[in-house]
Amino acid sequence: DLAQRVLDEAGAEAWEVLDRLGTLVDKSLLIADTEPAPRCRLLEPVREHALERLHAAGEEPSMRLRHARAMTTLLVEFDHAVTHEPDYDRSLRPVLAELANLRAAMQWLAAAGAGRLPDTPVSPPEARRLAIELAAHTDWMAVDADGAGDIFGFCELARAWLDEQTPPALACRMLLSFQSQARARSLPAAHRLADTRAARAGCRAVG
């Protein structure tokens, strides 16, 4: 599903994506995982070679951006759908399976937003906006899969990038995500109380 999302932005048809994946399966270059949800992934040497080819062709920055956008869309859609989903655990499993992809997107957006990647197809402010949108919807994954704290660290970084240009509804969601992760990590209430109040006031303001 994520591969389809990434290649959709590149103009690839669904049948093309399936055909390419089928070719990789036929050549035994994909590994089938079953936990936490069924999915396929490239063998590590193949993945590294593919990244080297993308870099050599000058296509890595645009692919990284499409990947970050696809990961953000995946989490936003899950956030909207899970509200009405009675079987939460079943719905979460496919999302948790993308943890490595989330970490890759977070690392790239953190660097792009800080202006450390001059060849990216987005400006630092645009990367920060996308980082905020991604971080605002990571709380579903963080509670179950953030043992190392890197999701919370990214959320804290994105929170610092909130400004007057951030849409109010997105700012509220970002603050709620941050405070829920802070609570899950048993941080002192003072660490999150201001965000809770700001999010509540913002929600009232946007209706």
Side-chain angles (χ1 to χ4, degrees):
D1 182 52
L2 192 63
Q4 180 69 62
R5 293 171 185 270
V6 172
L7 294 176
D8 271 348
E9 283 203 31
E13 298 289 342
W15 67 267
E16 292 180 279
V17 177
L18 291 174
D19 187 57
R20 293 174 188 177
L21 290 175
T23 299
L24 293 173
V25 170
D26 291 342
K27 294 181 178 180
S28 299
L29 299 177
L30 282 179
I31 296 177
D33 288 335
T34 57
E35 294 294 337
R39 67 191 299 271
C40 291
R41 60 181 173 87
L42 284 170
L43 292 167
E44 190 60 25
V46 178
R47 190 186 72 84
E48 292 177 358
H49 177 67
L51 285 174
E52 290 173 1
R53 292 285 300 272
L54 280 172
H55 182 75
E59 296 179 7
E60 184 180 0
S62 60
M63 182 62 75
R64 292 283 188 184
L65 175 59
R66 290 197 298 271
H67 176 264
R69 283 174 172 164
M71 194 66 220
T72 301
T73 300
L74 178 70
L75 290 188
V76 170
E77 289 180 355
F78 175 78
D79 188 63
H80 293 163
V82 76
T83 305
H84 306 288
E85 175 53 62
D87 192 347
Y88 169 77
D89 290 337
R90 183 185 63 81
S91 299
L92 185 62
R93 281 196 292 271
V95 179
L96 289 176
E98 303 300 342
L99 185 59
N101 279 306
L102 173 62
R103 290 192 167 114
M106 291 191 306
Q107 290 169 5
W108 186 82
L109 285 172
R116 298 198 301 269
L117 302 175
D119 296 328
T120 58
V122 291
S123 66
E126 290 171 323
R128 290 194 288 270
R129 166 66 184 275
L130 184 58
I132 291 169
E133 189 172 7
L134 178 61
H137 297 88
T138 55
D139 45 350
W140 297 109
M141 296 181 74
V143 172
D144 289 270
D146 195 24
D150 50 346
I151 299 177
F152 179 69
F154 177 73
C155 195
E156 198 164 24
L157 172 67
R159 175 186 174 276
W161 284 340
L162 291 172
D163 58 23
E164 295 81 4
Q165 304 302 315
T166 308
L170 177 57
C172 290
R173 186 65 182 87
M174 175 73 253
L175 293 173
L176 288 170
S177 178
F178 177 77
Q179 67 88 18
S180 68
Q181 292 184 50
R183 184 175 65 251
R185 300 188 72 80
S186 300
L187 296 182
H191 192 78
R192 49 187 167 82
L193 186 57
D195 280 352
T196 303
R197 289 173 175 168
R200 183 172 57 189
C203 288
R204 288 172 176 168
V206 298

